[in-house]
Amino acid sequence: MVSASKRLFRVLRAMDKKAFSLITELAQGKKLMRDEYRYLIENNTPEAANFAAELAVEKRKEIYGNSVFIRGLIEISNICKNNCLYCGIRAGNSCADRYRLTRNEIMECCREGYSIGMRTFVLQGGEDPFFNDDTVCGITLGIKEEFPDCAVTLSLGEKSRESYKRLKDAGADRYLLRHETADCGHYSLLHPDDMSFENRMRCLYDLKETGFQVGCGFMVGSPHQTSEMLAKDLEFIADFSPDMCGIGPFIPHKDTPFGEYPPGTPELTCFLLSLIRLIKPNILLPATTALGTVSSDGRARGILAGANVVMPNLSPTSVRKKYMLYNGKVSDGAESAGSLAILKEQMNAIGYEVVTVRGDIIK
Ligand code: SAH
């Protein structure tokens, strides 16, 4: 353990003073202004990132100790009515090989996940009209009946307030809906005309008022993104105060309009993970699949930057390659539940422990 004064000395020598004091203020619970977030994003040196990570890890340990929560991710359908410009399963991608899981297949995934220690199941998919309220409520009730000690998280896109209420009443606990960007103009550059920033925000506030534990999030390095926009994302997280936040690098998919854009970097993603941890110390923060895709040790790097959740893939192997949001998405190794042991070893190697609990937010 390095003593606090030594640490301070080491950091001060190498790091610009303004970044140091802004990160320190964040760690003290102070709210930053947008241009201060922007300053940090634009001065993302390895020294600043290490300092932020050190403080973020300290905060996370105070609340969650060495535990890493796991969520079994079940990709229930890659059929989608939307045409988001970045996404490989957009409606307009005629090359995508479409599938939808049956209720029985979903239950089988949960059984496998439960047997290896998962106590949260995340049902994620495109906006597939087949999965209407009745169907999703039925599946949620089925999971809660068979696994009453588990949490159900839904990530099925934009719905009406009434639909969200029905899903909550059926027993769903959490809902993930990334805001994608907190800048309205940027939102319209990433989405088709029939989708709107206002509706995305409406959904997030409805979800919160319905009583869900809510997750928002965004891609790092998405096309047309500026540091001002990322600063707005951090400001939004500070104001909205979500229970969860999913961030990962943008990764191009060749059959989308953004196929030629460069991917986001693991460095900036990890720095932002640390800042988000400092903004909201008890947030549930995954080291995402996309981070694990741009960097072979991305999962571990995310945890060491302040993340405390990983979401191994529980989808049947036969469909895994079809849920291709971006090229190169990892679909085996520590990503598959069958290889959970590898993930556990990776976490042990950096001083963390994968635990068998629901893993709700500690308030
Ligand atoms: N239809 C659901 C689930 C979307 S997929 C919804 O709208 O919430 C989950 C997330 O994957 C998206 O929110 C998006 O942020 C991310 N994603 C999609 N395409 C991506 C890409 N090319 N690179 C990185 N992340 C991507």
Side-chain angles (χ1 to χ4, degrees):
M1 234 1 206
V2 194
S3 76
S5 58
K6 263 203 195 139
R7 183 171 77 193
L8 194 65
F9 179 71
R10 209 179 57 201
V11 165
L12 271 176
R13 223 178 26 175
M15 198 174 131
D16 108 69
K17 292 209 173 46
K18 184 167 172 188
F20 171 83
S21 62
L22 290 176
I23 292 168
T24 307
E25 279 177 36
L26 261 190
Q28 289 166 344
K30 295 198 185 117
K31 220 173 159 176
L32 299 191
M33 310 284 286
R34 188 184 308 163
D35 60 338
E36 295 175 319
Y37 285 127
R38 204 179 79 195
Y39 183 89
L40 285 176
I41 291 158
E42 289 173 356
N43 292 276
N44 165 28
T45 60
E47 291 76 25
N50 286 340
F51 182 54
E54 219 172 306
L55 295 180
V57 163
E58 244 170 55
K59 288 267 177 229
R60 191 268 317 278
K61 285 200 170 167
E62 280 168 23
I63 301 169
Y64 295 104
N66 287 345
S67 299
V68 172
F69 298 146
I70 47 171
R71 321 299 195 192
L73 180 62
I74 308 170
E75 297 154 335
I76 65 171
S77 170
N78 72 350
I79 297 170
C80 191
K81 67 178 172 60
N82 290 336
N83 218 8
C84 305
L85 276 73
Y86 45 84
C87 185
I89 64 168
R90 66 201 302 268
N93 180 9
S94 54
C95 301
D97 184 3
R98 306 286 171 173
Y99 75 91
R100 126 181 343 131
L101 297 185
T102 63
R103 178 177 166 148
N104 279 342
E105 286 173 314
I106 297 170
M107 291 307 298
E108 268 310 311
C109 294
C110 295
R111 286 177 198 123
E112 170 170 4
Y114 193 88
S115 74
I116 56 172
M118 289 172 173
R119 296 295 179 267
T120 290
F121 302 115
V122 182
L123 273 44
Q124 188 182 85
E127 293 199 16
D128 178 352
F130 172 83
F131 286 102
N132 59 21
D133 294 352
D134 284 342
T135 309
V136 181
C137 285
I139 295 169
T140 303
L141 283 165
I143 298 175
K144 291 299 249 189
E145 190 181 9
E146 192 167 330
F147 306 105
D149 55 338
C150 291
V152 170
T153 304
L154 301 177
S155 179
L156 301 170
E158 299 177 5
K159 294 176 185 294
S160 68
R161 190 184 175 99
E162 293 67 42
S163 293
Y164 288 144
K165 186 163 179 350
R166 287 194 59 195
L167 299 171
K168 184 81 188 55
D169 290 344
D173 302 275
R174 312 185 187 128
Y175 204 104
L176 302 175
L177 184 77
R178 291 188 176 181
H179 61 287
E180 311 295 1
T181 169
D183 181 278
C184 182
H186 188 214
Y187 191 91
S188 47
L189 292 173
L190 299 180
H191 297 95
D193 290 344
D194 61 353
M195 292 179 75
S196 75
F197 178 72
E198 288 73 23
N199 194 48
R200 201 77 177 175
M201 287 292 146
R202 192 271 305 154
C203 287
L204 282 165
Y205 284 95
D206 278 352
L207 283 164
K208 209 175 204 187
E209 283 163 24
T210 308
F212 277 104
Q213 294 174 43
V214 185
C216 65
F218 58 92
M219 290 174 288
V220 179
S222 60
H224 311 296
Q225 187 178 60
T226 62
S227 48
E228 173 78 5
M229 291 166 185
L230 282 172
K232 275 192 181 179
D233 286 317
L234 296 181
E235 228 183 2
F236 171 68
I237 290 162
D239 292 340
F240 183 66
S241 193
D243 301 288
M244 306 166 277
C245 182
I247 72 162
F250 159 77
I251 304 171
H253 185 296
K254 64 177 175 42
D255 301 317
T256 65
F258 291 158
E260 298 298 321
Y261 280 82
T265 67
E267 288 76 21
L268 184 55
T269 305
C270 287
F271 185 48
L272 290 164
L273 282 171
S274 301
L275 297 182
I276 293 169
R277 170 67 60 203
L278 294 177
I279 290 169
K280 183 159 169 124
N282 65 342
I283 199 165
L284 296 167
L285 199 57
T288 54
T289 308
L291 182 55
T293 299
V294 289
S295 164
S296 57
D297 58 349
R299 280 294 172 60
R301 287 171 74 177
I303 297 293
L304 292 172
N308 68 327
V309 174
V310 286
M311 300 168 70
N313 198 322
L314 259 190
S315 309
T317 0
S318 57
V319 306
R320 262 187 217 167
K321 288 215 167 2
K322 299 182 186 172
Y323 197 80
M324 200 50 79
L325 304 177
Y326 43 82
N327 288 132
K329 179 166 167 271
V330 282
S331 59
D332 52 16
E335 224 28 59
S336 82
S339 307
L340 190 65
I342 298 173
L343 178 68
K344 288 186 176 172
E345 274 171 31
Q346 284 173 349
M347 294 298 125
N348 289 342
I350 56 168
Y352 289 82
E353 199 196 342
V354 170
V355 290
T356 295
V357 293
R358 271 175 56 121
D360 289 292
I361 188 167
I362 297 179
K363 292 212 171 157

